[in-house]
Every structure is written in structure tokens, then in C-alpha cells.
Amino acid sequence: MEIKVRAGDITQAEADAIVVNLFEGEQPGGATAAVDKALDGAITRLVENGGIKGKSGEVSIIHTLGKLPARMVAVAGLGKRQDLDLDKVRGVAGGYCRSLRKLNCHRIATIVHGAGIGGIDAEASAEAVVEGSLLGLYSFANYKKPEYEDIAEIVIVEREGDKLPSLERGVCKGKILVEATSLARDMVNEPANHMTPSRMAEIAGEIAGKGKLGINIFDSSDMETMGMGALLGVSKGSNQTPKLITLSYKGDESSERAIGFIGKGITFDSGGISIKPSKDMAEMKGDMAGGAAVMSALSAIAQLRPKINVVGIIPATENLPSGSALKPGDVLKAMNGKTIEVMNTDAEGRLILADALSYAVKQGLSPLIDLATLTGACIVALGTGYSGAFSNDQKLLDKVLEAAGRAGEKLWRLPLPEEYKEQNKSEIADIKNIGNRHGGAITAALFLGEFVDKTPWIHLDIAGTASSSKESGYVVKGATGVGVGTLVELALSLAEGGICT
Ligand code: BES
Ligand code: ZN
Ligand code: ZN
């Protein structure tokens, strides 16, 4: 798919379909008014008789019957003017792109939405159009042919030629983010017999090669040397060798400091000996979504080149039951020396993250951001629209919330109450890996907090947001690629710009 920016008049665009827009409860304005005029007032009449309402997500198709070079006009509803934001633009673009693909459109021309009278920055809107369109059109086609033929070209048409450079910048960043988010989606959608820890390491190698990143792949003997008993413990039940992957981006030669992104990389979570029910177990191929987001974010950061140093750390292993598997009651020793009593082998994410976070602290990385499909309890608490955010540092949390807002990813803060730590106390070890029945997302986060020392840290529980059961806006069924946008925006905001700015 090619995305281009061109100066000109959208009414004259040579395409299968041209896309204009309409606010709910308003008359056509700007480019929409120009198209309306060329269609002898067809849009106005449809608005008047209630055929087009302008509701967010509404896509109305009008056949031009030779009145314009394009075969069709799509009028995309933007919803109420005061409610329009960048994430709505992404959703609208995803929606009309999928509609037009179903109608066999190969070439689309669109305006940037909300940029003129909508009050949205044109560069940001162009970025959102690219992100929404391409992510909305995403499909995982590794094992069967996609249902519809791909759209080959999207042209963003702008009337004012002097706006082109800023639109190009938006398109540049949008493309990089889409590529990274699609990589994360691909990795999460890939079945676990293909997306093994070794395959994740291989992909990390490809990312490092392309982006000139530093890379380390540690295997079980390295883990033994480093004292990573918790990660090794989880990996024991599987025939797949575990990998601890690190990717390092050096964007600031003048500094030794680096921030750390840590992502849970359980390539399949059966629960281990504390085995999960078979219903929905297949979904646990996606238990490496945090790791995929970290790897993909680093691939985008390598292209955007902000002035900052970033290290990504991904502990990757399967969690399976077998004769050599970890058992309830076993005691493991993490890299930071803490002993852990394993009361439930299905609470394995916090075990592998205990070692990954200890490693990050030992490397002196700060601040730390971890992403993990960690608890079903977080889904019970927040549903599937919000990731849980836990932090020991208010300033960092504010930065991450801002970054997530720009990326269109929703986070909701949950507390880390001192008094709940009681639940993680073990009779025979420093800590145990489950709390009691209530507040499971919180006790899991408190467990992770035992391995970050005093480092400013944020934990994002993405169990509910990493995949979607329905198609909506720029989200399609399956993996969402959540986290990539937040991590990239965070790196950009902590640094000084990037190549697209
Ligand atoms: N990977 C799961 C969490 C999960 C559940 C992710 C549903 C996505 C969708 C995690 O390893 C797990 O099994 N957690 C247990 C913890 C419990 C045993 C304390 C859970 O949430 O049930
Ligand atoms: Zn589990
Ligand atoms: Zn898990």
C-alpha cells in the first residue's frame, strides 16, 4: 500500500473513491461543500432528508455517475464537532477504509479530517489518517488468503500547497508507527507453535539488523550464570529453550543513561501444573503481547531516532506442564536474591518479570516501564477498554498517561497499597506468587514492585487490551498491538524530537 500527499482539489482526484466528511447536525462545509456542489447538492439533500446524519463511524456512499472523475464519494461521519479528537479521526479512517475495501476500491483519495474547521493540527491529523487507515485494514494473512483485496493507494489531498511539508511529516511518523504496531499484531496473532522464544529472538535479530540496535540473546546457561532462577523455573516444563532478549537503542551518545522497556514474553501460557481450563486456552498464544510491544516499539524508535537511550528487555519462555515442570510449593530464587514460593504455576508472568526487572535494575536503567498480559483480575476490574497502570512515581505516571493519550491508548491508574503487601507474604520464602481472591491485579503489581528497588517504575497490565474480540474503528479482531504507541510516544517525549519532526 502506498500513501501519498498531494496538493490539489479533491473533487478532481482520479481515484475509485474520494472521502469527505460531515459533522453531526451540521451542513457540508469546506471540501465536502465543494464535492456537494459538483454533485448538484446531493449531500445537502441527503442531510436534509436524514439519509446522512454525520454520526461518528457512519460511512455514506454516493455514486457519482460520471459527475466527478471518481466512481464514488464516501461521506465519513465525524460525530459532534466538540467531541472530535485524534483518536476519533483514527477510528473514522479505519471504518471508511474497510467499507471501501469491501466495495472493491483500490485507489482512495481523502482530505485530512478535522484539520480546517475541526481545529485539529493538520500534521497530527495526517498521522492519524495514516494510522487509522492502515491499522483498520490490517489482517493476519499468514495461513489463509484475506477475504478482500487490498487497497493499493491512499492519496491525502490538500488544497493549500504550503501545508504539504507538515502533512508529509505526519505521514512519515504514521507509517513508522503502523509498521511497528502491525509487527506487534503479527507476533501476537502468530500461533505458539511458530512464535516460540527462539522465533522471538530471531525477529529481535532482524529488528536489530535493520535499525542498527545492540542485541543480546541470553539462553538458559547464561540465565544460570546470572542467577535468574525464576525465569528458569517457569521454563523447566517446556522443551523450547527460554531466551532473554535485549535490544538497545543509542540515540544520545553524550549520555550513559538509558530507559528500560520490559515486556512479558510467555509464548504460550497453559498455566503449567496449575493448568488452565481448556476453554479459551488458545488465546494464551498471545501472552507475549508485552514482549512484542517492546520489540516493535524499539523498531519504531530506531527509525524515528529520538535523542535518548532505550533498552528493551524481553524474557521469553513457554509455560507448560510436564515431568520437569515447576510445581506448586516449589521455591525459586530470583536474580536479586529474593526467594519466591510458587503457590500457583499460572502466576508465571510475575516470575519471569521478577528476573527481567532485577536485570534492568542491575543495568542501571531508569525509569522502567513494563508491559504484561499479567492478570485476568485486571480485565475484571477495567474491562477490555483500559489497561491498568501502576506506578511508584507520580511524575513518570503523568508522562506515561500523556504519551498514551497521544497514542490513543487508554490507561487507568490502580493503586499500590502498602497494606495489601501482606497478601504476598510466604511462610517459608521472602514472597509468594499469589495473593488472596480479591484485588489480583494489584497484588501482582505489588509483587513486581519487589524487584524494581527504588527505580521510578510503571507497570501496565494489558491482559484486557492486547486482543479484541470485535472489529471497531482501527481495531480489528485479534491482536491490537497495544503498548507500541505509548512506548514510542514516551521515548519521543523524554527525548528531543526525531527525524519526522
Ligand atoms: N496470562 C495470564 C493472564 C491473562 C488472563 C492474560 C486472561 C490475558 C487474558 C496470567 O499468566 C495468569 O494466568 N494469571 C492468573 C493469576 C492467578 C493464578 C493468580 C489469573 O489472572 O488468573
Ligand atoms: Zn498464567
Ligand atoms: Zn500468563
Side-chain angles (χ1 to χ4, degrees):
M1 143 94 73
E2 267 205 272
I3 302 229
K4 295 178 188 151
V5 177
R6 249 188 237 138
D9 175 359
I10 185 97
T11 62
Q12 296 312 309
E14 303 270 351
D16 294 310
I18 58 175
V19 184
V20 289
N21 58 44
L22 187 76
F23 282 115
E24 188 177 343
E26 299 191 20
Q27 292 299 320
T32 312
V35 171
D36 183 42
K37 198 169 161 214
L39 294 176
D40 303 324
I43 301 177
T44 307
R45 259 177 286 140
L46 281 162
V47 172
E48 273 166 11
N49 68 24
I52 301 183
K53 295 196 166 59
K55 284 196 184 299
S56 185
E58 174 191 87
V59 184
S60 311
I61 303 293
I62 301 170
H63 293 266
T64 61
L65 307 174
K67 287 184 182 155
L68 288 174
R71 198 154 53 89
M72 291 175 227
V73 170
V75 184
L78 296 183
K80 295 237 164 67
R81 180 191 292 259
Q82 64 272 23
D83 296 339
L84 188 70
D85 60 19
L86 283 174
D87 210 45
K88 290 248 166 56
V89 173
R90 288 188 190 101
V92 164
Y96 67 68
C97 279
R98 271 200 308 277
S99 297
L100 293 174
R101 179 174 64 184
K102 277 189 199 157
L103 294 169
N104 272 324
C105 291
H106 297 295
R107 293 164 65 216
I108 298 180
T110 182
I111 52 171
V112 286
H113 305 294
I117 42 175
I120 287 183
D121 173 61
E123 176 176 335
S125 176
E127 180 187 331
V129 168
V130 172
E131 290 165 358
S133 302
L134 298 189
L135 292 175
L137 290 170
Y138 170 90
S139 70
F140 181 65
N142 285 7
Y143 301 100
K144 72 169 193 184
K145 252 181 72 191
E147 212 173 330
Y148 304 105
E149 224 175 283
D150 249 342
I151 290 176
E153 179 188 84
I154 298 178
V155 183
I156 296 177
V157 182
E158 170 57 48
R159 207 162 41 88
E160 297 167 40
D162 56 340
K163 277 199 186 153
L164 253 50
S166 64
L167 296 186
E168 295 276 11
R169 282 198 296 275
V171 170
C172 166
K173 186 175 162 205
K175 277 184 182 170
I176 290 171
L177 273 164
V178 166
E179 195 190 317
T181 304
S182 304
L183 171 62
R185 287 183 179 182
D186 280 346
M187 289 176 72
V188 173
N189 285 329
E190 193 70 54
N193 60 327
H194 291 265
M195 193 50 59
T196 58
S198 302
R199 179 70 191 127
M200 285 185 80
E202 228 171 72
I203 295 173
E206 290 160 17
I207 292 171
K210 210 171 133 201
K212 300 201 174 61
L213 299 174
I215 179 166
N216 279 309
I217 308 287
F218 298 115
D219 60 20
S220 32
S221 60
D222 302 310
M223 292 171 200
E224 244 156 66
T225 313
M226 292 189 281
M228 296 182 165
L231 173 53
L232 279 167
V234 174
S235 74
K236 276 196 320 173
S238 164
N239 291 337
Q240 294 289 334
T241 55
K243 304 281 178 191
L244 182 86
I245 303 162
T246 75
L247 283 170
S248 348
Y249 164 74
K250 187 111 191 146
D252 185 359
E253 289 294 341
S254 67
S255 171
E256 284 306 305
R257 298 181 45 192
I259 61 175
F261 293 165
I262 298 98
K264 173 178 173 181
I266 294 288
T267 59
F268 189 72
D269 182 12
S270 69
I273 295 293
S274 315
I275 199 157
K276 287 181 181 295
S278 56
K279 185 182 173 294
D280 297 336
M281 197 200 272
E283 281 174 23
M284 285 301 121
K285 68 174 184 177
D287 208 19
M288 31 57 75
V294 168
M295 285 171 53
S296 306
L298 269 126
S299 80
I301 291 167
Q303 291 182 64
L304 290 163
R305 297 205 290 274
K307 192 173 175 201
I308 191 168
N309 302 324
V310 187
V311 178
I313 301 171
I314 303 99
T317 177
E318 290 184 328
N319 184 26
L320 292 183
S322 78
S324 57
L326 188 62
K327 302 170 293 297
D330 286 358
V331 174
L332 303 172
K333 190 175 192 174
M335 188 187 175
N336 71 348
K338 288 197 180 172
T339 53
I340 308 167
E341 187 182 13
V342 178
M343 299 307 276
N344 188 318
T345 64
D346 197 10
E348 84 300 336
R350 66 198 79 181
L351 296 175
I352 68 167
L353 287 169
D355 276 334
L357 289 166
S358 302
Y359 177 83
V361 170
K362 194 150 181 229
Q363 297 295 307
L365 305 176
S366 177
L368 301 178
I369 295 95
D370 83 69
L371 282 90
T373 44
L374 203 63
T375 66
C378 192
I379 314 178
V380 173
L382 298 177
T384 54
Y386 285 77
S387 304
F390 301 82
S391 185
N392 59 5
D393 187 293
Q394 183 68 48
K395 270 199 190 132
L396 173 64
L397 179 72
D398 290 342
K399 282 260 176 206
V400 174
L401 289 173
E402 265 174 43
R406 280 193 295 282
E409 297 183 340
K410 295 196 206 93
L411 304 182
W412 198 260
R413 186 184 201 176
L414 292 170
L416 286 170
E418 199 62 32
E419 62 274 23
Y420 286 23
K421 284 190 179 169
E422 196 61 35
Q423 292 188 37
N424 286 336
K425 287 212 169 125
S426 154
E427 295 284 339
I428 64 160
D430 293 327
I431 192 166
K432 63 183 167 79
N433 78 332
I434 54 167
N436 62 27
R437 228 158 59 82
H438 303 298
I442 297 173
T443 46
L446 284 168
F447 180 98
L448 298 182
E450 295 296 324
F451 300 88
V452 298
D453 223 348
K454 298 260 177 306
T455 315
W457 154 75
I458 185 155
H459 157 59
L460 301 181
D461 192 330
I462 57 169
T465 50
S467 16
S468 174
S469 57
K470 58 178 197 300
E471 181 180 275
S472 159
Y474 61 95
V475 170
V476 295
K477 270 190 202 172
T480 59
V482 74
V484 177
T486 299
L487 291 179
V488 173
E489 290 294 347
L490 182 69
L492 291 176
S493 75
L494 296 174
E496 296 164 24
I499 56 157
C500 296
T501 55

